[in-house]
Amino acid sequence: MTTVDPAPAPPMRLRELVFGAACAAAVRAAARLGVADALGDTPMTVEDLAAAVKTQPRTLRRLLRALSCQGVFTEQPDGTFAHTEMSRLLREDDPHSLRYIALWCTEPWTWDVWPKLDEAVRSGRNVFEDVYEREFFTYLNEDAPESAHVFNRAMTTSSKQSAQDVADLLDLGDVSCVADIGGGQGHVLASLLEKHPTLNGALLDLPGVVENADPRLRDGGALSPRVRVVAGDCREDIPVQADVYIIKNILEWDDESTRRALANVRKAARPGARVVVIENLVDDTPSMRFTTAMDLLLLLNVGGAKHTRQSMVDRLTDAGLVIGEIRPVNAYLHAFECTVPA
């Protein structure tokens, strides 16, 4: 049975940290092999699990042993393996599944850019373009369709899990039209339209994203009569007029892209329109280890950053928006309520 030192001494802790890639790779392997999906509520032998996921029993045991040390799966006294709260999150059918988040954070390109973090820190810009000679999203959509699919599924997972929280937060009782800018497949918009039966909406995102919009929003969907789906890049233009513009978790690019997106919102919006910016703040979160790691990954791939409360305020103010209340959406997200001045 696997045992874990609950409080390793600093020299061993540092050794563990520099082997962090092994832990990430083990989670990725389990997700790609479908181990969590194959394991049900009853503990299973390694031999049965190996047969289910088409691996060698001896090497699968080594993978499970490494993961059990991290609390992902647990080894029983009889040598069988069972689920833990974390391993269940790798199941595709779990309502709080993080399977695609785990895959996204360990995609093949990540292993090429992480070793160049010192270069990114030294220069202050992304290194992705040095490695692949393409802008990040161009590379994803044109050269790495499987990785783009994983990204879209990961963003869908995140959006679905926070959509109801956003709908519960926003007061749209006197609003006739809301626009979700860079809204992915439109789960936040769909939740808002379902809550407010007289509300109309618009969803804007890249063509390859909106073509897979939530079925409720597409032609023939229950909400489609009240929705306009627009294919476009908010950094280039926002051909949408609305009473409320929602911008959720997209202002993490490089500063120039963020500036352009906010300038386009300001250009599109009528005076008095509301702009609600929703972000995961690096200085106001219970998950600093995850958030700071994502902050570094954003530096590597797009030259972007997770925002602090003050950096978000600065960018919104620079865009000419008037900031009102700043409120928590849930434990991880904050909403900046802004208006467009006359």
Side-chain angles (χ1 to χ4, degrees), residues 1-2 43 74-81:
M1 184 175 177
T2 304
T74 183
E75 186 177 0
Q76 304 296 301
D78 63 359
T80 59
F81 284 87

Side-chain angles (χ1 to χ4, degrees), residues 5-215:
D5 180 357
M12 183 52 67
R13 178 58 182 150
L14 185 57
R15 287 183 171 90
E16 292 174 354
L17 287 175
V18 298
F19 263 114
C23 180
V27 174
R28 178 177 179 82
R32 284 174 60 84
L33 291 168
V35 178
D37 298 293
L39 180 59
D41 292 331
T42 303
M44 291 177 66
T45 66
V46 170
E47 290 73 19
D48 287 343
L49 264 178
V53 299
K54 298 179 173 59
T55 66
Q56 296 297 316
R58 290 176 63 186
T59 46
L60 180 60
R61 181 182 293 280
R62 292 164 66 180
L63 177 66
L64 290 170
R65 185 173 59 206
L67 288 166
S68 295
C69 289
Q70 305 292 339
V72 183
F73 304 107
T74 183
E75 186 177 0
Q76 304 296 301
D78 63 359
T80 59
F81 284 87
H83 270 301
T84 61
E85 187 174 350
M86 276 201 289
S87 65
R88 289 185 184 279
L89 295 175
L90 291 177
R91 290 183 61 93
E92 190 146 4
D93 63 359
D94 189 277
H96 304 291
S97 177
L98 295 177
R99 180 176 187 271
Y100 282 96
I101 298 292
L103 290 173
W104 170 242
C105 292
T106 56
E107 277 296 279
W109 58 266
T110 66
W111 305 98
D112 291 331
V113 297
W114 276 121
K116 297 181 179 295
L117 181 58
D118 59 324
E119 295 179 22
V121 171
R122 187 178 294 112
S123 68
R125 62 177 185 81
N126 85 75
V127 297
F128 187 91
E129 293 175 33
D130 296 336
V131 175
Y132 288 98
E133 299 181 345
R134 312 284 310 268
E135 185 266 346
F136 179 68
F137 285 105
T138 301
Y139 169 82
L140 276 193
N141 290 298
E142 296 182 3
D143 298 339
E146 183 178 344
S147 192
H149 171 72
V150 169
F151 173 73
N152 290 334
R153 291 295 298 268
M155 296 305 102
T156 295
T157 295
S158 178
S159 183
K160 281 183 175 179
Q161 292 172 355
S162 60
Q164 193 56 53
D165 292 331
V166 174
D168 291 342
L169 176 80
L170 296 181
D171 179 6
L172 300 179
D174 59 349
V175 172
S176 62
C177 183
V178 61
D180 194 354
I181 305 302
Q185 296 177 338
H187 302 294
V188 169
L189 180 61
S191 294
L192 291 169
L193 296 179
E194 286 187 335
K195 183 176 180 180
H196 302 280
T198 62
L199 185 66
N200 292 307
L203 172 67
L204 183 144
D205 212 316
L206 298 172
V209 176
V210 295
E211 70 182 14
N212 296 308
D214 188 306

